[in-house]
Amino acid sequence: VDRTERAPGRVTYRSPYRSVLAQTVRMGIHDLSEREIHESWTIPRMQAYARVLGLELDVTPWREDGMVTVSVLFVPPGTGVVVLPLGP
C-alpha cells in the first residue's frame, strides 16, 4: 500500500487491490471491481473489528482514486483503547 497518511484517530491509504484485480479480471478469473470489494468486504470488515473493540469507526465511501480513510469516531471510556498522537 502506497501513500499511507496517518493522523491521530485516522488512517488514509490507497486500496491495495487495483493491480491484482486488473490481472485477474483480464484473465477471466472473476469480474470483481475495487468498489465491490470496498463495499462488500472492506467496510463490513472494519465495522466488525470496531464492534469487537467497542469502537465506532467511519469508513469513507468508495472514491474513484482508490483512497480509503478509516476514522475513529468514538472510544467509550473503560475500553482500554487509546488514540495516540503521532510523532514526538
Side-chain angles (χ1 to χ4, degrees):
V1 177
D2 60 21
R3 291 188 38 196
T4 300
E5 300 168 14
R6 291 177 181 84
R10 184 180 72 225
V11 64
T12 300
Y13 62 93
R14 182 178 307 281
S15 173
Y17 307 109
R18 182 170 291 172
S19 60
V20 171
L21 286 175
Q23 297 307 313
T24 54
V25 168
R26 182 186 59 77
M27 291 185 289
I29 295 172
H30 59 78
D31 63 353
L32 284 171
S33 68
E34 276 190 293
R35 179 184 203 123
E36 288 174 290
I37 290 173
H38 182 73
E39 293 171 352
S40 300
W41 191 74
T42 302
I43 292 173
R45 176 178 58 114
M46 293 292 182
Q47 294 299 344
Y49 289 160
R51 279 190 304 277
V52 168
L53 294 171
L55 308 174
E56 290 181 29
L57 294 181
D58 177 64
V59 182
T60 54
W62 178 249
R63 293 175 24 183
E64 290 306 315
D65 66 358
M67 297 305 287
V68 176
T69 299
V70 179
S71 303
V72 177
L73 298 178
F74 178 69
V75 178
T79 61
V81 176
V82 178
V83 178
L84 298 173
L86 296 175

